[in-house]
Each structure stands twice: as structure tokens, then as C-alpha cells.
Amino acid sequence: MKHLLVGNGINIQFNSTDYTTQQIVLRILKNCDRKDFPSHIIVDFPYLLKNYLGQLFLEARDVIRGQYDQYANCSAERASLVSFREQYASKIRTLRMTDIGFEDYYLLHDLCCHKTGTVNPDQFYVREALRISYLFAIYNDGKVNELYRLYPEKFVNYLRQFDSIFTTNYDSNVDSVVENPVYHIHGQFDKLAAVYDPTSFRNQLPDAPIKEYEVDPQYLYLYSNALSTHCGEYKEFQVKQYSLANSAMEKLAAAYLKDEHIKADVDSWTKDTNTITANMGYAVQMKVQHPELTFTDDYHFEKLSKITGELVILGLSPWNDFHIFETIDKSEIDACTFYYFSEEQCEKVRSLLPITNQRGALHFSSVQEFWRTVR
């Protein structure tokens, strides 16, 4: 079996002016001045978003210097801090707002919230505004989904040789040119998040979140299941929560049917004043009546963990999403080829894939040379 894992690097290859880190951050700032900015979805007053990003940037150098270390309140944040320094310390004197990858602004946001004592729900609401503004900028009025039209025939043929393709991108470009499966492991623009999908298991429960939202059909991609955060560990948690919930539901539903004591307990949960407990009770009852109901897992991460054969990694930065590399390192692949842009990337990948590297299964090839061969 032969598998491919791709990232935003392939979008940059076919449009280096609109989809680089710098251009995406710049477009977020410019979008705040648009007359058609979807303020009813993102933030009522767009200038607040622009000002807040500027304030976060002003803290970046202090973060690099270690002045925010005390505010990292978990191992995931501490790991993100280490990665942040590795990536930006050499640029500290010339650092610009657009040099910082947008997902790293979530880290700055969380650290600043810890420092100022800002907690949920405010911390969550601001982070969501940042996330949705990011999706709005990447989508670029739908232009991002047109990049496949620029793919040369040699590149299309290259993509078609793989048995399956995994991507961290939200767009549908690769999907448009291949017939074999394409798995979006961080979500995609054309899949609604469960809370916005009226047919989802979550929205069959009495307190269906969809009742509280008025989804604008003009901007469905802003309600998508696209994941975005500073930490791969957080993404992994969000990805795995669906399979864990399904496993729990199946076990509870089976026990409900077999054990009268468990049935009585579950039925009593629905009368609990705690919404989470009540929802659990209703969910088990519904699962018993409709076994086909599941919490939809649209992230396919389990498929990535079970790949065998050969894996090629193209256009993926090793500076974020460490959970992907950890999963690859634990897999049973025979060989892994990473297309690198710089030697610095090679060093990072070796540290992220130690087991694969030690058994001689890790290989490197120049991405510049690759693109020359498929033109």
C-alpha cells in the first residue's frame, strides 16, 4: 500500500501570493475592513479583532524571552511554548505580525488570558472569533477550492498513484482530481460541525444546540468541522472524542438492554438537573431505540494510525501538529519519505519520528526538486 500525507505547502506551490502564512494573516487583517465582513458570525465590531491581534503580537517577544512561562498551565501549552521559541527565536529582532503562523496566535491568546485572569466563556468566545476569521481568510471567497485547475498533468498523475491520501487542508482540491479516498484529518469546508448539523446525533437530544443558532447558508464553510488550534494534542483530543463517545454509547446501550439496574440508573439520569448527565441518559435511550445513530467521526485519524506500506509526506510543516508525527511513528509503515524545504526541517522530523528513523525507514528528498519533476 502507498499513502500520501499533504499539507498547505501544495497550495502555496500553486499560489504563493495568497496562501502563505504571511498572506493569510494579512488577509485576516484586511478582511476586517470589508463592507461584507460576516460580523453576524465572527464578531460584531471587526476592528476589535484587528486590534486584539495587534495586542497579541506585542506580547510575542516577551513569550520568546520566557516571560510568559509561568502562565502555561498544562503540558500541552508548555510543549507549544518550546515549539514557538524554536520557530521564532531567531527572528526576534525583525519579527513582524505576519511572520507568526495564525495558529500560534491561539497560544498567545491563551497565555494572555491566563495572565489577565480571563476565563471561559469569554476565553472560548474570543478564540472562536479568531478561528472563524482564520477560516474566512483561508476560504478566500471560494478561490482556495479552484487551485486544482492549476495542477499540471504530471502532478495529477502523481497523486493518482496513491491508494489513499491524507490531508490537513480544509479545501477540496486534491479530492477534485483523484478517485481514491482523500481523508481530511483536520476537517473540511464542506462538512458541517456536529452542533450545526440538524441531522447529527447531538442535535437529536432535547437541548439540541442547533436551536440556539441561526446558520447562514451563504457561509456554511464557517460552520464547518475544520479544526484549528495551537496544539496538536488539543486537535487529537477533539478528533478522538467522537470515537470515544461512540464506544461509550455502544457499551452503555448494551448494558441498558441486559441489566435492569443499569437501565434504571440511565433512566434516572434524564431527570438530573445537570445537563451533561441528562444528555447522557437521553443519548443512551436513543442509541437503544436507534442503534444506527453515531457521533460522526469525520476526521479519519484512526485510519492514519493503521496505515501500512509506504508513506510520503509532502507540503507539511514539522513545526505544528506534532500529534500527526507521533501517530506515524507508532504505525507499522515500512518506509516514510519526507519532502523537505530546508535542512532545519530534516532535523525536526528526525526528532519527531525517532522510532521510524532508528529502524532506517525514514528518508528525505528535496521538495524543490520534486516540484521541478512534476511540472
Side-chain angles (χ1 to χ4, degrees):
M1 298 291 285
K2 195 172 183 180
H3 312 278
L4 177 67
L5 170 61
V6 298
N8 189 49
I10 65 170
N11 287 350
I12 294 172
Q13 180 62 32
F14 294 101
N15 186 326
S16 60
T17 59
D18 290 333
Y19 300 105
T20 62
T21 293
Q22 291 79 10
Q23 286 302 317
I24 290 172
V25 173
L26 184 60
R27 190 155 59 247
I28 290 171
L29 299 173
K30 289 182 176 179
N31 282 344
C32 291
D33 297 325
R34 288 176 54 159
K35 292 182 179 180
D36 62 346
F37 183 85
S39 56
H40 61 299
I41 302 173
I42 302 176
V43 61
D44 290 338
F45 303 103
Y47 73 87
L48 294 176
L49 175 64
K50 183 190 290 188
N51 290 348
Y52 186 61
L53 281 171
Q55 291 170 18
L56 292 179
F57 170 71
L58 292 177
E59 303 304 312
R61 288 185 177 86
D62 285 346
V63 171
I64 294 171
R65 295 184 184 112
Q67 295 177 23
Y68 272 79
D69 288 8
Q70 61 185 306
Y71 301 113
N73 63 6
C74 64
S75 60
E77 287 183 359
R78 287 190 286 273
S80 290
L81 263 175
V82 171
S83 177
F84 191 91
R85 287 199 192 92
E86 286 181 354
Q87 193 166 6
Y88 302 115
S90 63
K91 305 175 183 176
I92 189 168
R93 294 182 126 186
T94 60
L95 194 66
R96 297 170 301 175
M97 193 170 178
T98 54
D99 289 334
I100 298 175
F102 189 77
E103 290 194 321
D104 289 324
Y105 276 99
Y106 300 126
L107 173 63
L108 297 177
H109 164 68
D110 286 346
L111 293 174
C112 286
C113 283
H114 301 332
K115 181 179 180 179
T116 59
T118 304
V119 296
N120 291 327
D122 291 342
Q123 182 180 355
F124 170 78
Y125 289 146
V126 174
R127 190 190 302 115
E128 271 297 281
L130 291 171
R131 186 183 72 87
I132 300 172
S133 70
Y134 180 52
L135 300 184
F136 185 53
I138 294 175
Y139 193 72
N140 199 18
D141 299 316
K143 296 184 184 71
V144 70
N145 282 329
E146 300 298 317
L147 293 177
Y148 75 94
R149 300 183 187 279
L150 303 175
Y151 291 180
E153 185 177 358
K154 285 184 178 180
F155 182 54
V156 171
N157 290 336
Y158 175 80
L159 293 173
R160 289 175 177 172
Q161 71 176 294
F162 291 95
D163 297 293
S164 64
I165 298 176
F166 297 87
T167 178
T168 59
N169 296 340
Y170 314 130
D171 59 74
S172 59
N173 288 295
V174 174
D175 313 57
S176 297
V177 298
V178 301
E179 294 181 358
N180 285 341
V182 178
Y183 301 112
H184 293 257
I185 57 178
H186 286 164
Q188 56 198 97
F189 283 133
D190 56 0
K191 291 274 188 181
L192 288 173
V195 293
Y196 301 117
D197 182 357
T199 67
S200 71
F201 192 173
R202 181 66 185 87
N203 277 319
Q204 306 310 306
L205 301 178
D207 72 330
I210 195 69
K211 296 176 183 177
E212 305 297 322
Y213 300 110
E214 187 172 341
V215 175
D216 187 338
Q218 184 181 350
Y219 297 100
L220 287 180
Y221 62 95
L222 296 182
Y223 303 93
S224 71
N225 68 344
L227 297 179
S228 180
T229 180
H230 68 81
C231 175
E233 191 173 324
Y234 290 168
K235 287 179 183 174
E236 185 176 17
F237 171 77
Q238 292 179 65
V239 164
K240 289 184 175 180
Q241 66 180 331
Y242 298 98
S243 60
L244 292 173
N246 284 328
S247 177
M249 283 298 103
E250 289 174 5
K251 291 176 181 177
L252 282 169
Y256 184 95
L257 291 170
K258 293 179 180 178
D259 191 317
E260 286 297 323
H261 296 291
I262 292 177
K263 181 179 185 299
D265 284 342
V266 170
D267 290 341
S268 71
W269 294 350
T270 62
K271 301 178 179 64
D272 200 293
T273 55
N274 184 296
T275 303
I276 296 175
T277 303
N279 275 341
M280 178 68 78
Y282 286 122
V284 174
Q285 290 177 342
M286 290 189 66
K287 182 69 175 177
V288 169
Q289 295 173 11
H290 304 281
E292 74 282 0
L293 282 177
T294 60
F295 294 102
T296 306
D297 177 4
D298 287 321
Y299 299 108
H300 317 289
F301 211 73
E302 190 172 346
K303 289 185 175 68
L304 178 65
S305 69
K306 294 181 178 179
I307 60 173
T308 58
E310 179 184 353
L311 174 67
V312 176
I313 304 176
L314 175 67
L316 187 70
S317 169
W319 294 106
N320 296 99
D321 300 328
F322 297 154
H323 64 299
I324 294 176
F325 290 92
E326 290 174 2
T327 299
I328 293 169
D329 208 35
K330 294 175 184 176
S331 72
E332 297 183 4
I333 55 173
D334 300 316
C336 177
T337 299
F338 182 87
Y339 279 99
Y340 67 91
F341 185 79
S342 66
E343 287 295 333
E344 187 181 22
Q345 287 188 337
C346 296
E347 292 178 15
K348 187 64 178 176
V349 170
R350 288 189 188 97
S351 71
L352 295 172
L353 299 177
I355 299 173
T356 307
N357 188 43
Q358 285 173 8
R359 59 190 179 89
L362 180 59
H363 313 285
F364 295 94
S365 291
S366 166
V367 74
Q368 293 100 322
E369 181 60 30
F370 168 81
W371 288 118
R372 282 193 286 270
T373 64
V374 296
R375 285 295 184 183

